[in-house]
Amino acid sequence: MMRLKRLDLALATALAATAIPAEAVQDSARKAPPEATAGECAAPAASAPAAKAEPAIPPPVLVKGLGYAGIKPDTDNAEAERWFRQGVRLIWAYDEVEAVRSFEQAQKLDPDCAMCAWGEAWARGPTLNLQPRTEEFAKASAAAKRAVSLSGKLGERDRALVEAMRLRTSGDGKFDNEGYRGAMAKLAERFPGEDAVLVMAADSQIIVDSRTRKLKEGVDAQRWLEQVLKRNPRHSGAIHLYIHLTDFIDRQDLAERHADRLGWIAPSASHLVHMPSHTFYGVGRYKDAAAVNVLALAVDKRYERKVAPPASAYRTGLYRHNNHFAIESALMRGDGKTALLMADNFRERFPSEEPGFGAIIRAATWYAYGLHADPAAMLRMAEPDQKNVVARLVRHYARGEALARAGDSKGVKGEAASMAALLAGPDGRALSSKQLQAFLPMMQKVLEGRAAMMEKRFADAATVYREGMVLQGQAGFGSDPPPFWYSVRRSLGAALLASGDAAGARLQFQETLKEWPNDPLALYGLSRAEDALGQKRAAASRLNRAKRIWAGQVEAVPLARI
């Protein structure tokens, strides 16, 4: 089991491996990051001179530690089989591009391997993370046809898998996901003892609402995955999908014991090292969530040095997601050191401010600086490009948090006023996303609440925090981790407690903990509310839990900062 002491060691190792300059760790003044420059993945301008020819992509390499395979190909060539098995492992890890290269290598070694061609078609198809992949359809269809032409020698199960893949790639220029889903469901009932069939069938059945990230279908998928994990708890593909599924149904507790296992099963697959963080965050294990993401960043860098995989927006996006997740997880438990290190790492890797939702992801770096960097250094950080209204608003919020830590309520109100003016101006009115129209004013309300708490205007603080809480609900991004670093309802509870309404505060803290389990500041606030209500034993229990989770001295956190 992946427990805290082992994760502490993993975190220390990973921090060392992320190649953050030593001065970034040692500089307690926290210098502002460099000015924004062109992103390393940005496309060249149309008028730029022709670039030099891209260097040849190195051939794929075999890598140990990618997890479980569980499918045997129809080949007597041992080297081809190794490449096939790596392809399967990479699909279970959602590293589809490298999986394709592995299956191609297997086919070079044994052109008569039907399952090797089938694997290529499978790897080129849609996944939860990559849809609709129509650009891969022609090659996937050709690979599926090759598999069919070679399938006469296959056993019953493998012929059925080849036929299902043929059906998936038989559409007119796009994948027939519905037909494939039905075919795999029939195969799951026909071969209930075949782990690979059940995991693939489950994968095809998980249908998610793109806006809310909640499950629309998947009852059979849950049953199939649980059957596989009961008899084969080391199936990395089953664990991976089960973590996703339990995330979508908000039952992360179901996957916890499997999540504890995954990173040790596939220590070279950065996405699988990362995946337990979805479960850990969902059950309130924020330290563990941060640790596995920091570790995943280090694993990704080692993998890139060894394999030199082709660059892609998808691979870059996974790295960004892991980095963002590490920051948000650290912030939830007040771990400023890790949050700042990961914020610096994010900005070193992605130096450009991004527009729209990209700016909301990058906002985590601003949260880290506002909440944990030296306030004076935070206030010296340059404003983003004037056209990037989202980044400008997030910067104002971060400045407000820094000023609140410095005890400057007037300055906090000034930052809130700047946000209000920007939102009311032409740039703010031009925001087309309803989510951003709620999300950004929410931050303004948080600053207004901070200032009111500092000035002991507790009723005013409760009013604006309640407004912020409503806006946070309306934003409804449905992302994981949430795009804002904490639940504003928690601050409402703090304002009610400060005003003398311990019963109302207890209710708000309890509701916060339903959505954000083990939030240490919500636990601390609840302990104070229960203490005020005479519930001494419950108060002591909550306080002890908060102390165990919070990175610093939780009792030193004032209500104005909760």
Side-chain angles (χ1 to χ4, degrees):
M1 297 284 282
M2 184 181 282
R3 301 266 53 111
L4 292 179
K5 288 185 178 179
R6 295 182 73 183
L7 277 172
D8 285 341
L9 177 60
L11 177 58
T13 303
L15 284 171
T18 50
I20 298 173
E23 59 268 23
V25 183
Q26 299 165 357
D27 182 9
S28 59
R30 308 303 309 176
K31 296 180 180 178
E35 294 292 326
T37 58
E40 62 184 66
C41 295
S47 58
K52 294 181 180 178
E54 290 291 330
I57 297 173
V61 298
L62 290 168
V63 178
K64 295 181 179 179
L66 294 175
Y68 182 80
I71 307 177
K72 181 175 174 61
D74 55 308
T75 180
D76 294 326
N77 185 312
E79 190 72 3
E81 180 172 346
R82 281 193 284 272
W83 283 105
F84 174 88
R85 288 182 180 276
Q86 174 160 294
V88 174
R89 293 183 177 101
L90 288 165
I91 291 180
W92 296 144
Y94 280 4
D95 195 344
E96 298 85 356
V97 172
E98 286 304 295
V100 167
R101 297 214 300 156
S102 289
F103 288 124
E104 288 177 334
Q105 193 71 12
Q107 291 174 82
K108 289 177 183 178
L109 291 164
D110 185 351
D112 294 326
C113 176
M115 293 302 287
C116 298
W118 165 86
E120 181 189 342
W122 179 25
R124 292 187 184 277
T127 68
L128 280 173
N129 283 355
L130 282 177
Q131 297 183 31
R133 299 197 82 189
T134 50
E135 75 283 358
E136 293 285 351
F137 178 81
K139 290 183 178 180
S141 181
K145 289 175 181 176
R146 287 198 304 276
V148 170
S149 71
L150 297 167
S151 64
K153 58 185 175 178
L154 298 178
E156 183 182 9
R157 183 205 69 174
D158 290 349
R159 283 201 309 273
L161 287 174
V162 168
E163 174 57 24
M165 199 58 63
R166 183 203 62 78
L167 178 61
R168 190 186 204 188
T169 58
S170 62
D172 184 14
K174 63 180 182 179
F175 291 95
D176 181 2
N177 294 317
E178 186 174 350
Y180 175 69
R181 188 178 306 124
M184 289 307 303
K186 291 178 181 178
L187 290 187
E189 299 305 322
R190 183 177 165 192
F191 300 102
E194 294 284 351
D195 292 349
V197 171
L198 266 60
V199 176
M200 291 180 69
D203 192 18
S204 71
Q205 294 285 330
I206 298 175
I207 311 298
V208 181
D209 185 302
S210 60
R211 189 186 72 85
T212 64
R213 299 292 288 171
K214 297 300 182 184
L215 195 69
K216 294 167 64 176
E217 300 179 28
V219 174
D220 288 333
Q222 183 174 349
R223 172 169 59 88
W224 293 328
L225 291 172
E226 287 173 351
Q227 287 176 13
V228 172
L229 290 172
K230 184 176 182 179
R231 63 188 177 223
N232 187 358
R234 292 184 60 80
H235 197 301
S236 52
I239 298 174
H240 180 190
L241 289 171
Y242 195 59
I243 289 173
H244 276 303
L245 186 145
T246 54
D247 214 13
F248 297 145
I249 64 174
D250 201 23
R251 284 297 310 276
Q252 293 91 343
D253 57 297
L254 295 174
E256 187 173 2
R257 62 193 177 97
H258 304 295
D260 273 317
R261 197 181 303 117
L262 183 57
W264 307 109
I265 295 172
S268 296
S270 62
H271 187 59
L272 297 188
V273 172
H274 146 82
M275 278 304 302
S277 63
H278 287 256
T279 299
F280 295 157
Y281 194 97
V283 300
R285 288 170 57 180
Y286 304 111
K287 182 177 183 178
D288 293 4
V292 295
N293 277 292
V294 174
L295 188 58
L297 296 177
V299 168
D300 186 77
K301 289 187 176 183
R302 288 198 298 269
Y303 186 82
E304 287 195 349
R305 287 194 296 268
K306 181 177 180 66
V307 178
S312 69
Y314 175 57
R315 185 173 291 280
T316 299
L318 289 179
Y319 188 95
R320 180 188 283 109
H321 175 58
N322 297 351
N323 206 154
H324 172 234
F325 218 131
I327 298 169
E328 294 279 15
S329 301
L331 290 176
M332 272 300 292
R333 59 180 298 269
D335 181 1
K337 179 179 179 181
T338 299
L340 289 168
L341 284 169
M342 291 296 98
D344 289 347
N345 190 67
F346 190 105
R347 288 184 170 234
E348 180 182 344
R349 179 74 179 259
F350 309 109
S352 295
E353 294 286 353
E354 299 177 69
F357 187 69
I360 295 301
I361 298 298
R362 189 183 182 81
T365 63
W366 286 105
Y367 305 156
Y369 296 137
L371 293 162
H372 294 286
D374 177 75
M378 167 69 235
L379 295 174
R380 290 195 298 270
M381 291 178 68
E383 185 172 15
D385 187 285
Q386 289 294 302
K387 295 179 181 178
N388 194 331
V389 64
V390 176
R392 290 168 62 196
L393 287 162
V394 171
R395 172 179 171 273
H396 280 302
Y397 165 74
R399 286 170 59 88
E401 289 284 17
L403 288 163
R405 287 191 293 125
D408 184 356
S409 63
K410 183 178 179 180
V412 176
K413 287 190 288 188
E415 296 300 329
S418 295
M419 292 187 74
L422 188 51
L423 285 164
D427 290 338
R429 293 196 303 271
L431 290 169
S432 58
S433 166
K434 291 183 179 180
Q435 292 173 313
L436 290 177
Q437 289 171 0
F439 187 79
L440 295 165
M442 171 202 68
M443 294 186 188
Q444 174 197 331
K445 297 298 181 183
V446 170
L447 293 187
E448 291 173 357
R450 297 276 191 255
M453 289 289 286
M454 294 168 71
E455 295 172 354
K456 302 188 184 307
R457 294 183 288 108
F458 304 129
D460 291 343
T463 296
V464 293
Y465 279 141
R466 194 180 299 275
E467 292 171 354
M469 178 186 75
V470 171
L471 288 168
Q472 188 173 29
Q474 290 174 351
F477 282 99
S479 62
D480 194 8
F484 197 51
W485 69 277
Y486 85 110
S487 170
V488 180
R489 183 187 290 274
R490 186 180 80 191
S491 292
L492 171 59
L496 293 174
L497 184 60
S499 71
D501 183 4
R506 178 180 61 179
L507 175 62
Q508 297 304 329
F509 289 130
Q510 288 172 333
E511 290 299 310
T512 298
L513 288 164
K514 289 179 182 178
E515 295 296 322
W516 303 65
N518 285 328
D519 174 344
L521 291 185
L523 285 169
Y524 173 54
L526 180 57
S527 76
R528 291 188 56 173
E530 289 172 334
D531 185 69
L533 293 168
Q535 300 169 351
K536 304 298 184 181
R537 181 175 296 181
S541 175
R542 313 286 191 189
L543 179 58
N544 286 335
R545 280 174 61 195
K547 286 180 176 179
R548 288 196 300 269
I549 299 168
W550 188 250
Q553 297 294 321
V554 72
E555 292 170 290
V557 181
L559 288 177
R561 300 292 304 139
I562 291 178

